[in-house]
Amino acid sequence: MITKKARKPSRSSSQAKARKAVATKARKGKEREDSGSSLSRMLRTLQFFSRAEPVLSAETIAERAGVPTSTAYRYVKQLTNAGLLIRWKGGFALGPRIMELDLQIRECDPLIVAAAGPMVDLAKQTGLDVLLSKLYGQKIITVHIEPGGSSRTLNFGRGRPLPLFRGSNSKAIVAFLPAARMRKLHEEARANGESDPLARDWQTFYERMLSIRKAGYSLTKGELNSGIEGISAPIFGAERDVIGSLTLIGDLGRMAMLREEALIEVVQKTTAVISESLK
């Protein structure tokens, strides 16, 4: 019995299959990218809610997100199913899952866990409020406050992003960033119209940050809250990269009664303890 020899695929056929495989891979990659972009856009809609506007309609969300109303309805449906939004008075409001996540952050965030005890001790020792601020990408946010006896309301309390170039909290973090990242933050702030004088000139800003870095702490008066002085020192993570800052704040009158050098020393000692525990 004579069998026919199998035909070897032609070169053009092999090339066509290769092109098809590449095209398929590219399409799937694009689909994953589009899916990721869509997820990012959907989650960004949460930032549209504020104290001034706690309830938003799907139409308002669509307008602010720059997407069709049908897409906004899909977003709010998925966010509602996840508990991140709830239906409220003809619109939508932030949901209970956010409170659950907030509690998880308070109880599980490594920096908050490491700093909680030392912050209590520092507040008792000085009678001043102690703030823990953390760097998240391009934002600095106060994540924990240990009161030392006062009941003041802060302009930038827990959860409210801090100005990058004002306040000892932020300066004690920004000053210890790598120069390239510091430069990028400065350029973006200037491009976004940041009004702070430090955003106008890179050299002036850089020299100011270097002086803070050399001193090992930042001290400001009235930059975030009128009549309030802040003393901050950086906190470093396992790789010796700055991840946050610890701040003592008090009324100018009370701070004047205390020895400034002693307060600076105790803040630096506390941040050293926290940084060591994070290694």
Side-chain angles (χ1 to χ4, degrees):
M1 181 176 179
I2 300 175
T3 58
K4 292 184 179 180
K5 186 182 289 187
R7 293 181 62 186
K8 187 178 181 180
S10 66
R11 185 176 179 181
S12 60
S13 175
S14 298
Q15 290 176 338
K17 288 182 178 179
R19 286 195 297 269
K20 184 177 180 180
V22 170
T24 300
K25 185 177 180 180
R27 188 187 74 253
K28 289 182 177 179
K30 182 67 165 57
E31 288 173 353
R32 286 194 296 269
E33 182 181 340
D34 290 345
S35 175
S37 299
S38 178
L39 177 61
S40 297
R41 286 195 296 269
M42 179 178 69
L43 292 176
R44 276 200 296 270
T45 62
L46 297 174
Q47 71 185 12
F48 301 145
F49 294 86
S50 66
R51 184 179 300 177
E53 294 180 291
V55 181
L56 297 173
S57 66
E59 290 77 13
T60 299
I61 292 173
E63 180 182 351
R64 296 184 182 178
V67 298
T69 302
S70 58
T71 300
Y73 270 106
R74 188 174 75 250
Y75 287 172
V76 296
K77 180 180 179 181
Q78 292 175 344
L79 292 170
T80 300
N81 290 341
L84 296 172
L85 291 180
I86 58 171
R87 294 183 179 276
W88 187 260
K89 295 183 179 180
F92 299 87
L94 296 178
R97 182 57 182 154
I98 291 177
M99 289 185 286
E100 294 174 14
L101 292 172
D102 179 64
L103 179 60
Q104 283 183 250
I105 289 176
R106 289 172 184 259
E107 295 180 343
C108 304
D109 183 282
L111 177 56
I112 297 177
V113 172
M119 288 177 69
V120 171
D121 294 340
L122 186 57
K124 289 180 179 178
Q125 181 181 353
T126 63
L128 301 171
D129 295 344
V130 187
L131 281 62
L132 178 67
S133 302
K134 189 174 180 180
L135 177 65
Y136 290 98
Q138 307 293 86
K139 292 184 178 181
I140 296 173
I141 299 174
T142 295
V143 295
H144 185 59
I145 298 176
E146 190 63 45
S150 70
S151 58
R152 67 172 58 86
T153 299
L154 301 174
N155 293 332
F156 297 92
R158 183 180 181 276
R160 191 181 295 275
L162 292 155
L164 287 176
F165 303 153
R166 281 189 291 123
S168 62
N169 325 47
S170 293
K171 290 178 178 179
I173 295 175
V174 175
F176 289 84
L177 291 172
R181 188 172 180 190
M182 200 187 299
R183 182 74 181 249
K184 185 178 180 182
L185 283 176
H186 187 268
E187 290 175 350
E188 289 180 353
R190 186 168 54 185
N192 292 331
E194 171 62 53
S195 60
D196 192 278
L198 283 179
R200 297 172 189 166
D201 179 67
W202 160 252
Q203 195 58 40
T204 301
F205 166 76
Y206 186 58
E207 289 175 0
R208 187 73 58 83
M209 294 303 105
L210 284 182
S211 67
I212 292 173
R213 189 170 188 145
K214 183 177 180 180
Y217 69 92
S218 175
L219 188 154
T220 61
K221 298 180 180 181
E223 288 193 1
L224 296 180
N225 301 273
S226 179
I228 300 294
E229 178 179 333
I231 299 173
S232 305
I235 298 172
F236 299 96
E239 304 300 323
R240 290 302 297 168
D241 51 330
V242 64
I243 59 174
S245 66
L246 196 70
T247 304
L248 269 182
I249 63 169
D251 299 336
L252 291 176
R254 173 163 174 71
M255 297 292 271
M257 297 171 61
L258 303 172
R259 196 160 63 89
E260 195 171 86
E261 294 80 3
L263 293 177
I264 293 170
E265 181 180 0
V266 74
V267 171
Q268 290 181 312
K269 284 184 177 179
T270 303
T271 55
V273 169
I274 298 170
S275 297
E276 183 65 27
S277 69
L278 292 170
K279 289 184 179 179

